[in-house]
Amino acid sequence: RLSDLIQIINEHVLASVAISIPLRLWKSSLSDDERRRSGNPYCLAAFGCFHELTRWMRRDRSTVDELAYVYDQGDQGRGEALKIFNAVYDDRVLRREYRLLSMKFEDKERFVPIQAADILAWEMNREAPKRWGIDPIPSRHEIGLLQRVPVRYWGFPDEMQLRSLVGSFARIDLRSNEIGWDTSSPIGDDGEGG
């Protein structure tokens, strides 16, 4: 059962971080320049996860701990996430600030820990419309189970929070022309990003 799997995940996870950015909000709230600088919703959500994990690391972990990111090989936005990682990693100051060790991509069929992140992503995408008041159907039981972790940051940004995240992203924006963002959404226009 899914609830049994979530219980096992919760027993082994240190922190749960996820950000869901509604495509409509990204398109309607940000200027063309802000959208260009932030890439696409997937890019911005990946950067937001880097940002929140770093805040948690500063607060609760050793100063020498570093983060090794593992993404699903099949994610449509994996190239954009890698571009963000490389842009931050290539800057010695930002690399230290964001405590970046490495990033790699694995097949979720062969690398079981990715399945936990996949469950969270699935449930976040189902929960996001409820948080934004778009879907009146009550939250699923599983989302409550996923909240039972030591540290949890799940971002459902509103317009002000989205702009703040874009502002944090500006530190790596100086190279955005070299990065070559794919500003087309990695998902359909009617869905959510990130």
Side-chain angles (χ1 to χ4, degrees):
R1 285 188 7 209
L2 182 56
S3 58
D4 293 335
L5 178 59
I6 291 172
Q7 181 178 346
I8 293 168
I9 292 167
N10 288 348
E11 290 171 3
H12 295 91
V13 72
L14 296 174
S16 175
V17 176
I19 296 176
S20 186
I21 298 173
L23 186 57
R24 284 183 220 76
L25 181 66
W26 184 80
K27 285 182 173 181
S28 67
S29 300
L30 301 179
S31 69
D32 289 344
D33 185 56
E34 288 172 319
R35 284 194 305 275
R36 180 195 59 76
R37 282 188 287 138
S38 62
N40 59 40
Y42 194 98
C43 295
L44 200 53
F47 177 75
C49 289
F50 292 174
H51 190 72
E52 291 305 322
L53 279 166
T54 301
R55 283 179 27 165
W56 166 66
M57 295 278 288
R58 280 192 211 118
R59 188 180 60 241
D60 296 340
R61 305 295 294 178
S62 161
T63 58
V64 296
D65 285 349
E66 293 178 305
L67 292 161
Y69 288 90
V70 181
Y71 277 75
D72 182 359
Q73 180 99 9
D75 280 349
Q76 290 177 316
R78 71 179 179 265
E80 300 304 300
L82 183 59
K83 288 176 186 177
I84 293 169
F85 179 88
N86 287 336
V88 175
Y89 190 86
D90 289 346
D91 182 309
R92 192 178 308 207
V93 173
L94 290 177
R95 180 185 335 139
R96 221 177 2 259
E97 180 180 333
Y98 283 91
R99 299 182 181 204
L100 300 182
L101 175 64
S102 63
M103 175 180 270
K104 68 179 185 172
F105 298 89
E106 295 285 351
D107 179 353
K108 69 181 174 186
E109 301 299 321
R110 296 176 47 215
F111 190 76
V112 176
I114 293 227
Q115 293 173 17
D118 206 31
I119 291 169
L120 176 58
W122 173 260
E123 291 297 333
M124 284 284 292
N125 280 330
R126 293 179 60 104
E127 180 69 11
K130 297 168 189 357
R131 299 286 176 106
W132 295 311
I134 299 168
D135 183 356
I137 297 173
S139 297
R140 288 169 33 105
H141 173 69
E142 287 79 4
I143 201 77
L145 295 174
L146 284 165
Q147 293 179 12
R148 298 178 187 167
V149 295
V151 175
R152 176 178 57 87
Y153 176 81
W154 294 350
F156 300 95
D158 58 25
E159 183 176 343
M160 187 173 74
Q161 293 165 327
L162 186 60
R163 287 184 180 280
S164 175
L165 184 57
V166 170
S168 297
F169 198 84
R171 292 182 61 198
I172 63 170
D173 179 54
L174 298 175
R175 289 177 278 208
S176 64
N177 289 334
E178 295 172 28
I179 290 172
W181 297 124
D182 174 7
T183 56
S184 63
S185 174
I187 51 152
D189 283 345
D190 57 346
E192 311 306 337

